[in-house]
Amino acid sequence: GENVEQHPSTLSVQEGDSAVIKCTYSDSASNYFPWYKQELGKRPQLIIDIRSNVGEKKDQRIAVTLNKTAKHFSLHITETQPEDSAVYFCAAGGVGGNEKLTFGTGTRLTIIP
Amino acid sequence: DGGITQSPKYLFRKEGQNVTLSCEQNLNHDAMYWYRQDPGQGLRLIYYSQIVNDFQKGDIAEGYSVSREKKESFPLTVTSAQKNPTAFYLCASFQTGVRGYTFGSGTRLTVV
């Protein structure tokens, strides 16, 4: 089955700086890669996603890049703000049209004012 | 609230007791999923169902059971065979053409 590794597990950045979280996956057939943000005690919320036919996608301060050859994808947050503090999860799946997702172990991002 | 409702929010289980966690969605989504969340381990898939009256085991199905008698409902039973059930349980639904999962607000289960 799919295996997703996520790094780093914790990340602290100064407000206004950029943050990068990286994930690798094992199943070359995976074709859907979403990122979720989870605030303390709340449900995960989708913030951005990418499919394997696209190398990069951007939504305001958030971007995701995908390298299918190397089987890794990354989340980039620019101009970080205190409200960006949360746990971020990457996921991979979509094999054979089945949207079963395998999640990474999460990154706790702290924005330092 | 988001179209998918989990209840109860908090649940306490005694040793040897079965408990059932409820998950209901009014989004008309075909697929539903149960994940378990433990600190530092991300979300791990317990069971999933793509259509009514059909479901498949995920990565950590032992000690759990599910049913999918209605499209809207996907209850999860934590049986006494699950030796370490204390965790945060998340239900999610998905429909082709809609981006990503819609998650419920979760049930925090504690063994007492």
Side-chain angles (χ1 to χ4, degrees):
Chain A
E2 177 65 276
N3 182 51
V4 176
E5 294 190 358
Q6 182 172 347
H7 299 282
S9 57
T10 60
L11 179 61
S12 295
V13 301
Q14 290 290 140
E15 182 178 354
D17 287 351
S18 296
V20 180
I21 301 170
K22 299 181 179 181
C23 288
T24 60
Y25 62 99
S26 61
D27 190 343
S28 57
S30 287
N31 57 31
Y32 179 58
F33 307 93
W35 286 88
Y36 288 85
K37 175 183 180 182
Q38 186 178 30
E39 297 177 2
L40 189 63
K42 295 189 177 181
R43 73 189 79 191
Q45 299 274 11
L46 178 72
I47 56 172
I48 196 166
D49 57 357
I50 193 169
R51 292 212 175 257
S52 58
N53 57 348
V54 176
E56 183 174 358
K57 186 176 179 180
K58 189 173 182 180
D59 183 2
Q60 299 183 341
R61 297 187 296 108
I62 295 172
V64 58
T65 59
L66 171 65
N67 183 327
K68 283 211 71 179
T69 302
K71 290 190 281 190
H72 67 70
F73 56 113
S74 301
L75 178 71
H76 305 253
I77 306 174
T78 59
E79 302 172 11
T80 54
Q81 301 168 4
E83 53 266 36
D84 294 330
S85 294
V87 178
Y88 292 81
F89 292 97
C90 63
V95 177
N98 181 345
E99 298 297 346
K100 179 175 71 129
L101 294 175
T102 299
F103 285 81
T105 52
T107 296
R108 182 173 300 279
L109 175 63
T110 302
I111 306 303
I112 304 166
Chain B
D1 183 14
I4 184 164
T5 303
Q6 287 186 242
S7 62
K9 188 171 183 178
Y10 299 96
L11 185 58
F12 297 90
R13 192 195 92 168
K14 294 180 179 179
E15 294 283 351
Q17 191 179 48
N18 291 358
V19 291
T20 297
L21 283 60
S22 171
C23 179
E24 303 278 334
Q25 54 104 353
N26 61 5
L27 301 166
N28 201 34
H29 286 181
D30 289 322
M32 297 186 74
Y33 307 82
W34 273 105
Y35 283 87
R36 169 178 171 146
Q37 186 173 24
D38 296 280
Q41 294 193 47
L43 282 71
R44 293 183 290 165
L45 182 63
I46 304 172
Y47 268 97
Y48 65 103
S49 169
Q50 293 181 280
I51 57 172
V52 175
N53 292 322
D54 188 43
F55 49 83
Q56 287 79 40
K57 293 182 179 180
D59 301 318
I60 55 165
E62 185 175 354
Y64 300 97
S65 66
V66 294
S67 63
R68 186 85 186 277
E69 298 176 359
K70 298 185 300 181
K71 188 175 186 178
E72 310 79 50
S73 180
F74 192 41
L76 173 74
T77 297
V78 184
T79 74
S80 56
Q82 171 50 241
K83 298 307 179 187
N84 185 22
T86 294
F88 188 53
Y89 291 85
L90 284 162
C91 179
S93 68
F94 176 83
Q95 182 67 32
T96 302
V98 177
R99 291 175 59 213
Y101 285 178
T102 300
F103 279 96
S105 55
T107 293
R108 189 166 298 279
L109 173 63
T110 304
V111 174
V112 296

